[in-house]
């Protein structure tokens, strides 16, 4: 009788312990990973390298930030992979060389959120046309980004560009 009761208690404790272990594993798997301070710095450098690679027509710098199978969607023209991204950058660099104006990208309000796969990011952008005496805003909006770690370090897996619509005539005067 005592042996039977002991086995029952041990079985019950085993079931509780096993259930607790399964619950803890599921809970930790659903929690996003942690980003270190260095991760934040490295990801913010991707924003800077994107901007300067664009602004100075530095294709190597601009291409270094992307995953090999990255998706870039600057409007209705999505591009995937290094070949399409390189062709896009080459066409932009050619337009800039023909007098497309001098432009400067600015990012602000960068928010990074850890995910199990890496990180998501959102940042405002402002594109300034600095070719005239007084810089003017050429475009503004925000990026929705997905970052992953690769053999190159952190890279952009996807970037969706959201351009703010121009203000209506009534909004400009407010």
């Amino acid at each position: 009788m005592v042996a039977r009761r002991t086995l029952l208690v041990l079985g019950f404790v085993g079931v509780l312990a096993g259930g607790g272990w399964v619950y803890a594993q599921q809970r930790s798997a659903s929690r996003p990973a942690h980003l270190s301070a260095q991760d934040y710095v490295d990801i913010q450098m991707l924003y800077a390298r994107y901007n300067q690679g664009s602004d100075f027509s530095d294709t190597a710098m601009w291409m270094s930030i992307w995953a090999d199978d990255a998706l870039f969607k600057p409007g209705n023209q999505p591009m995937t992979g290094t070949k399409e991204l390189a062709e896009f950058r080459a066409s932009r660099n050619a337009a800039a060389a023909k007098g497309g104006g001098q432009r400067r990208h600015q990012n602000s309000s960068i928010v990074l959120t850890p995910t199990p796969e890496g990180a998501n990011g959102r940042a405002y952008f402002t594109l300034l046309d600095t070719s005239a005496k007084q810089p003017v805003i050429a475009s503004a909006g925000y990026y929705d980004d997905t970052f992953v770690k690769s053999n190159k370090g952190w890279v952009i897996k996807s970037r969706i560009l959201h351009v703010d619509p121009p203000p209506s005539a009534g909004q400009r005067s407010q």
Side-chain angles (χ1 to χ4, degrees):
M1 181 78 167
V2 172
R4 188 172 173 202
R5 187 173 283 173
T6 302
L7 282 175
L8 259 162
V9 169
L10 286 175
F12 182 70
V13 168
V15 167
L16 283 178
W21 181 83
V22 168
Y23 174 76
Q25 295 303 311
Q26 289 174 340
R27 189 159 160 82
S28 68
S30 67
R31 261 192 235 145
H34 170 76
L35 293 175
S36 69
Q38 188 62 51
D39 292 332
Y40 281 95
V41 169
D42 292 347
I43 293 170
Q44 288 182 352
M45 284 300 297
L46 294 175
Y47 286 100
R49 294 177 66 78
Y50 174 91
N51 292 348
Q52 291 199 13
S54 296
D55 296 344
F56 297 110
S57 296
D58 186 336
T59 301
M61 179 185 284
W62 194 82
M63 290 299 297
S64 72
I65 67 170
W66 300 100
D68 292 340
D69 60 346
L71 165 70
F72 180 42
K73 189 176 177 210
N76 294 328
Q77 180 189 14
M79 293 158 252
T80 304
T82 54
K83 182 177 186 270
E84 290 182 14
L85 291 169
E87 290 169 355
F88 169 79
R89 185 75 260 149
S91 71
R92 292 300 188 118
N93 292 350
K98 289 181 184 177
Q102 184 173 331
R103 296 191 167 199
R104 297 290 180 254
H105 289 76
Q106 301 290 319
N107 295 126
S108 63
S109 300
I110 297 171
V111 175
L112 301 176
T113 306
T115 67
E117 297 79 29
N120 289 332
R122 179 173 282 170
Y124 297 134
F125 77 85
T126 305
L127 179 60
L128 299 173
D129 182 343
T130 58
S131 57
K133 185 176 180 179
Q134 180 68 37
V136 296
I137 296 174
S139 182
Y142 66 96
Y143 303 119
D144 272 325
D145 296 318
T146 302
F147 302 99
V148 294
K149 270 196 174 176
S150 75
N151 59 352
K152 299 189 290 187
W154 284 100
V155 291
I156 298 174
K157 177 75 171 167
S158 71
R159 168 163 279 181
I160 311 299
L161 183 96
H162 302 273
V163 178
D164 293 339
S168 66
Q171 290 175 317
R172 288 187 186 138
S173 63
Q174 294 178 357

